[in-house]
Amino acid sequence: MFELHPLIIVLFALFCGNAQASSFEAGTEQVAAQLVASVDAVHPGDEILVGVQQRIIPHWHTYWKNPGDSGLATTIAYELPIGAKADKIQWPTPNRITLGPVTSYGYENEVTLLTKIKVPQDSGVGSVFPIKTKVKWLVCKESCIPQKVDLALDLPVVAPGADAGTGSPLIELARASLPSVSPWPISLAYSNDVLALRMTDARLQSSGVKKVWFYPDEWGKIVQGAEQPWQLSGDTLELQMKPGEVRLSPGESLSGVLAITQDSGSGPVTRGYSVQVAGDAAVSGITALKSEVLEAAPAKDGEPDLVLASALLLALLGGVTLNLMPCVLPVLSIKALSLIKHAQHSPLQTRLQGLAYTLGILTSFALLGGVLIAVKAGGAQIGWGFQFQSPVFVLVVAYLMFTVGLSLSGVFSIGGSVAGIGSSLAERPGYSGSFFTGVLATIVATPCTAPFMGAALGFALSQPPASLLAVFFCLGLGLALPYLLLSQWPSLQRRLPKPGVWMDRLKQGLAFPMYGAAVWLVWVLAQQAGVNAVAIALGGMVIIAFAAWLYEFTKHTGKAGRRSGFSVAALSLGLVLVGGYFGVETTAATPLVNVEPVRNAEPYSAERLNELRSQGKPVFLNMTAAWCISCLVNEKVALSQSSVVDTFKRSGITYLKGDWTNRDPEITRILTEFGRSGVPLYVFYPAGAGSSTKPIVLPQILTPEIVTQAVAL
C-alpha cells in the first residue's frame, strides 16, 4: 500500500467509495455493508430487528453516536411502507481510538447497528414488506473518507402463526454487544475538577475487574483524551473523569456507557453497561486518585508505548511522503543528479554519501526539535513550520535558494563539495556536500505538511522532550529513507546512466526550480511584510549575484586579486544580510494579507465561528498559510473550483479562512484543539447547534469530490 502516492489512494477511494445499487449488501474499498433481519419473513403487526452490518478493513474505523474529539456518527435513513415505523439506532459498546492527542469513539473490524421496526397491521399476507435504507458513514485511518450506500431487503409477509424463520445470526451477535443494565448501583459525585462514578456491591470484590472506561452519550461532558483513573477498594469501584467544556448543572444527569473488562474462563471479556445517573455535587466526597494508582491500574498497561509507537510510524510514513511534496522536489532533483555521479564511485563511498545526507537531515531535525522544546518551555504556542512565520527567516531562505540557483547555473563554484550543489566530476567524495544537502532538504521541507504527519506532530508537541525528539527523528529518517536505500543498493546503481557532459547541462537546468522557490518565498515575504520588503529582497538578490560574479571573476587572478574579490564579495553579502534584517523588521508592521483571497471566504475569528455554530449554521474552516505550498495547491485545485463554491452556496455553508502566515495565537489554539501542529487543517461543522454536531476533519490533500462529499454527508 505504501508504494502508492496518497493522492492516488484518495482518488481511487473517491471513485470506488460509493455503492449506489439497491441490494441487501454493498460496499466501498474500506467498508462492506449488508442489511440483515431477525426473521426471514414477517407477520402483520410484528416488531422485528433490522441491522446494518459494517465489515471494516484493518486499521480503519467508523464512529459511535458520540464520535469523541473528531469524526461523525453513522446515519441510517429507512424508507418503509406507510404505517411502518423505525425506532432509533441501538449502538453497541464502542472502542476507544487514540491518535496522538485526539481520542475518538467508534468501531473497528466489524459492527452491526440494530434498529427496531414495526410492521403495519394491515400488511397483506402473500405480499412483500420492503425495507430500504440509505446509510452514510465516515471511515477514517490517518485521513477520513465520507461514504454512503443504498441497501434494500424484501421480507415476505406470512399468515399469523406461520413460521417466520430465525433470520440472520448476526442479529443475536449484535444484541450481545449492546450495553445492558448495570447489575451494580451507580452514583455520581462531581466538583469543578473531577467527575466520579461509584459502584458499591459485594460482588465487585470477586468480579475480576481489569479495565474500566466511560463513554459519554454527549460530547463535551468529559475530556475525551484525559485519563480515567480507577481503583477497586473493598466492595467499591470508583472511576474518575476530567469534566469537559459542557459542565453539569446541579441535579443534571450524566448518561453513557460504562465498559468494564473482567476476567473469564477464556480470557478478558469487555461488557458495556448503560448509565444514566443524576449527580450529587458532594465536593468533599471526592479525593483525586493519585497518579501511582493510575499507573498501576491494568487499564493503563501498554497504552503509552502503543501511542508513541503509532506516532513514530506515522512520522516515518510522513517523512517518506514529504519527498513527493512540491517543497522538497527542487532539492531532490539535485540529489538525483548527485546519485548518478556517486554511482560511479566505489560502493563504500556511495554508501557513505547516503549516510552523510541522512546525518544532515537527522541533525537538522534534532536542532529543530530542540528549538521547539526551548520555545515551548518559554510558554509559547508554536507548531510545524513556525520558523516561516518570521519574515527574516523567509528572506534568508529566499537568498539561499537564489544562491543555490546561481551555483547550479555556473555563475560561481566553491569547490566540489559545498552543499552538494557545486559538484563537478572530481574524484573528491564530498561528504560535507551531502551533509549540507540534507540540511537544505530539511529547510525547504518545513513549509509542507504531508499526509500522516498531522497526528504525529500533534502528538509530539504535546509530549515530553524525549518523545518529541523521537518523533522528529523518525520524521527525518523518513525524509532521508529513499535516497539512503538507493545509496545502499549497488544493483540499482549499476543501471544508472554514466556521467558525461549531459550532467552539466542537467545541473544548469536544475537551477530554475531553485529560482522558482526563491520567487515563491519573495511572494510569501510580501504577505508578511508588504511591498517594501519585496524591494529589499530583490535588491539583495542583485547584490548576491554581483558578489558571486566578482568572486568567480577574481578567483583565477593573482593572490591580491583573489583577496580583494573575496573581501568585497563577503562585505556585500554581510551588507545584504544586515540590511535585509533591519529592512524587513521595519516593514513588517504593514503586511499584505490575503493578496489572492479564496472566493467567498471570510476571515477566521473564534468569535465568528462561535456565533455561526450557536446559530446552528454549517461552517467550513480552512487554516492555511502563504508559505504552505500544500495549502496553496489545495485552494487552487479544490476549494476554488466552481463545484465546491456552488455547493457551499447551495448548502448555506459559511467559509472561514484562517491565515497563519504570521504568528496568530487564535489559529494556533484551534490547531492544537484538533491535535495538529501546523497547517493545512480543513474542518467541516455540519448544521445544528450545540454538542449534537461534531466536526469532520478532512484529509490534508483535497480534491473537489472530497470536499463536496464531506459537506453533503
Side-chain angles (χ1 to χ4, degrees), residues 322-334:
L322 265 180
N323 288 281
L324 302 174
M325 306 303 285
C327 320
V328 189
L329 285 177
V331 176
L332 287 185
S333 60
I334 296 172

Side-chain angles (χ1 to χ4, degrees), residues 176-191:
S177 67
L178 295 176
S180 59
V181 177
S182 171
W184 309 294
I186 300 178
S187 62
L188 171 67
Y190 59 88
S191 67

